[in-house]
Amino acid sequence: MTAEVVVMNKNAVAIAADSVVTVHASNSTKLKTYNTVNKLFQLSLAAPVAIMVYGNAEISGLPWETVIKQYRRQLQDKTFATVEEYGLDFINYLRQMPLSNEDDQYSTSAIIYQFALTILGKTKYLLSDLDLEADNPSEEELCEITTALLDDQLSSIEEMEVLPGFEAVSFSKLAYRYRKIFGKAIELIQEELCLKKKGRRIVWKMLLNLLIRRTFTESASGIVITGFGENELFPALVSYVTDGYINDVLKITEEENEKISRKSGALIIPFAQSEMVYRFMEGVDSNYQRFLGAAAQEMMLGIADVFANAYIKGKQKREVVKAQLRRAILESLRLFDVRAEQYRQKNFVGPIIDSVKSLPKEELGTLAEALVKLTSLKRRMSTDVETVGEPIDVAVISKGDGLVWIKRKHYFDPALNARWIGNAAK
């Protein structure tokens, strides 16, 4: 995993990224981490624009560092009016990358297996919530329950947006091209779930829809491009998420598109592991906040049911009162959330953003680095694998000075590589 932060005001944009990559040891469930990975790069040698990557360190088996440096080489001195145009040009470069049938099969099979694992995990979780041990269903009944759960998931998936490039995709041709991969993925699911013919057909449809719609695997990559376009006086940012290539088409969508203006003078945007930045900004842990909301709703609805059962005579009237109480409670909780959000904005988020508006360039870099360090410290103090860690690369980009490295690691001694220093300065 990764922790990356972008801090922007009218003067400049500071970007910071950790250096840890987590890998699975061969033929083992054990995890190993390395703290030498580059995730932050200068996108153009002629313009004040940078790129960060997070999540998967590769796109369809090709390292992002290689892709980015090849793009930078062909870009040469070409510039664009806006950061958004840099993003579109980089995505267009990815779309035009040559891809053999073997590469496509490799990329698509990895995505299909990831989605199969997602379907399996979610369905097993839904089954565990049903307390089937108490009901002791027969195998036939269990298959019917599983099929119903899968069908509900399929309905939700089909409501998602179809991504650009996949609108005209034929399911029959897609299913035929990757039939062996689909078959193995369904076998993987069937090893742990009770599936009959109808259930297998639903899983097949789920996988096909997941490939073309706006949903991504846990192995997706994130791309962040930020800096100044030729016509931009204030910094801007655009980010994307991609799973790689499916059926020779790049599966990608835009996630963030932010700009500093005369009115919006500052932004702090975290990527990947962002929970500590959220705590810093909002004054509360997001998971704890969700727990409190769910617990309060459950408690208040439970009290309403007890009240209605104890004091309202007649079943029909009792159900009417329960419905009225439920609506009143849910509306009260919604209003409470709104007021809590307003309080956090006034007392936590607002003051921080106001301070960032006036920060000089060097302090922007210090803040970005500190926020990544905060996430790294949290990981170090927990019993989990340290998926975020130092060294932290930090750069500050301004319209006048361009990209300036505040901190940057090397896998070599720069003093012994004068030729590299000379090339990097060109």
Side-chain angles (χ1 to χ4, degrees), residues 353-412:
I353 293 298
D354 287 341
S355 297
V356 173
K357 288 178 183 179
S358 57
L359 283 181
K361 287 178 281 191
E362 58 269 26
E363 294 298 331
L364 285 177
T366 300
L367 176 58
E369 181 185 10
L371 292 174
V372 175
K373 276 188 174 180
L374 189 61
T375 306
S376 173
L377 179 63
K378 171 65 166 59
R379 288 288 180 271
R380 191 182 309 160
M381 294 299 104
S382 72
T383 57
D384 298 330
V385 176
E386 289 186 41
T387 53
V388 177
E390 301 182 36
I392 297 169
D393 288 332
V394 184
V396 174
I397 307 173
S398 62
K399 186 71 173 178
D401 297 336
L403 187 147
V404 176
W405 289 102
I406 307 301
K407 290 186 177 180
R408 190 187 189 193
K409 65 183 175 297
H410 294 293
Y411 66 90
F412 56 84

Side-chain angles (χ1 to χ4, degrees), residues 300-301 304 324-334:
M300 293 179 71
L301 291 176
Q324 292 173 338
L325 288 171
R326 180 179 179 84
R327 285 194 296 270
I329 289 169
L330 293 178
E331 178 62 16
S332 296
L333 289 172
R334 186 189 69 80

Side-chain angles (χ1 to χ4, degrees), residues 73 80 259 316 353 390 397:
R73 179 179 295 177
F80 295 97
K259 297 178 181 179
Q316 186 173 356
I353 293 298
E390 301 182 36
I397 307 173

Side-chain angles (χ1 to χ4, degrees), residues 76 83 102 208 333:
Q76 297 183 340
V83 167
E102 182 181 355
L208 285 167
L333 289 172

Side-chain angles (χ1 to χ4, degrees), residues 5 68 86 108 110 117 119 129 132 143-144 148-149 155 160 207 229 256 261 310 321 333 365 392 396 415-416 418 424:
V5 174
I68 291 167
Y86 278 100
T108 306
L117 291 173
I119 293 170
D129 265 2
L132 295 176
C143 286
E144 289 178 1
L149 292 174
S155 297
M160 297 176 182
L207 290 170
E256 301 266 3
S261 66
V321 171
L333 289 172
I392 297 169
V396 174
L416 301 176

Side-chain angles (χ1 to χ4, degrees), residues 130-415:
L130 298 178
D131 193 20
L132 295 176
E133 290 186 4
D135 298 334
N136 193 25
S138 65
E139 181 179 346
E140 188 69 26
E141 290 171 332
L142 182 59
C143 286
E144 289 178 1
I145 293 170
T146 303
T147 300
L149 292 174
L150 291 169
D151 200 29
D152 287 343
Q153 293 177 67
L154 174 60
S155 297
S156 299
I157 293 168
E158 289 177 332
E159 293 175 359
M160 297 176 182
E161 170 195 356
V162 176
L163 290 173
F166 294 95
E167 299 94 340
V169 168
S170 165
F171 272 179
S172 59
K173 291 181 180 179
L174 195 65
Y176 180 78
R177 181 173 184 180
Y178 305 108
R179 59 194 180 280
K180 292 183 180 179
I181 304 169
F182 279 121
K184 290 180 180 178
I186 292 172
E187 286 177 8
L188 175 70
I189 295 173
Q190 196 165 5
E191 287 178 2
E192 298 193 46
L193 296 180
C194 182
L195 295 180
K196 298 292 185 182
K197 185 176 180 179
K198 182 179 179 181
R200 290 193 295 270
R201 187 165 61 248
I202 291 173
V203 170
W204 196 288
K205 288 182 180 179
M206 290 173 72
L207 290 170
L208 285 167
N209 275 280
L210 287 167
L211 288 180
I212 69 168
R213 297 186 183 272
R214 197 181 189 277
T215 180
F216 294 85
T217 67
E218 293 183 0
S219 297
S221 296
I223 307 166
V224 183
I225 297 175
T226 187
F228 295 80
E230 283 294 298
N231 296 345
E232 291 176 320
L233 296 177
F234 302 121
L237 174 149
V238 62
S239 72
Y240 306 88
V241 175
T242 178
D243 260 330
Y245 299 89
I246 299 170
N247 198 37
D248 304 319
V249 178
L250 179 67
K251 183 177 183 180
I252 192 165
T253 189
E254 182 181 290
E255 287 284 291
E256 301 266 3
N257 193 327
E258 300 286 352
K259 297 178 181 179
I260 294 295
S261 66
R262 288 177 173 84
K263 292 183 178 180
S264 61
L267 287 169
I268 298 176
I269 309 173
F271 295 92
Q273 297 186 49
S274 58
E275 70 276 6
M276 294 306 296
V277 177
Y278 186 91
R279 287 190 201 181
F280 173 79
M281 294 291 294
E282 301 277 346
V284 63
D285 179 77
S286 57
N287 291 326
Y288 182 59
Q289 185 181 352
R290 284 191 291 271
F291 165 77
L292 288 178
Q297 179 175 310
E298 181 181 359
M299 179 182 66
M300 293 179 71
L301 291 176
I303 292 172
D305 284 345
V306 170
F307 172 82
N309 291 332
Y311 296 103
I312 306 301
K313 305 299 182 182
K315 182 177 180 181
Q316 186 173 356
K317 185 177 180 181
R318 187 184 304 124
E319 292 303 317
V320 171
V321 171
K322 282 184 179 181
Q324 292 173 338
L325 288 171
R326 180 179 179 84
R327 285 194 296 270
I329 289 169
L330 293 178
E331 178 62 16
S332 296
L333 289 172
R334 186 189 69 80
L335 293 174
F336 174 80
D337 287 340
V338 171
R339 292 185 63 186
E341 170 69 18
Q342 293 171 344
Y343 181 88
R344 293 197 304 275
Q345 285 292 326
K346 180 180 178 181
N347 294 279
F348 295 97
V349 180
I352 293 173
I353 293 298
D354 287 341
S355 297
V356 173
K357 288 178 183 179
S358 57
L359 283 181
K361 287 178 281 191
E362 58 269 26
E363 294 298 331
L364 285 177
T366 300
L367 176 58
E369 181 185 10
L371 292 174
V372 175
K373 276 188 174 180
L374 189 61
T375 306
S376 173
L377 179 63
K378 171 65 166 59
R379 288 288 180 271
R380 191 182 309 160
M381 294 299 104
S382 72
T383 57
D384 298 330
V385 176
E386 289 186 41
T387 53
V388 177
E390 301 182 36
I392 297 169
D393 288 332
V394 184
V396 174
I397 307 173
S398 62
K399 186 71 173 178
D401 297 336
L403 187 147
V404 176
W405 289 102
I406 307 301
K407 290 186 177 180
R408 190 187 189 193
K409 65 183 175 297
H410 294 293
Y411 66 90
F412 56 84
D413 184 351

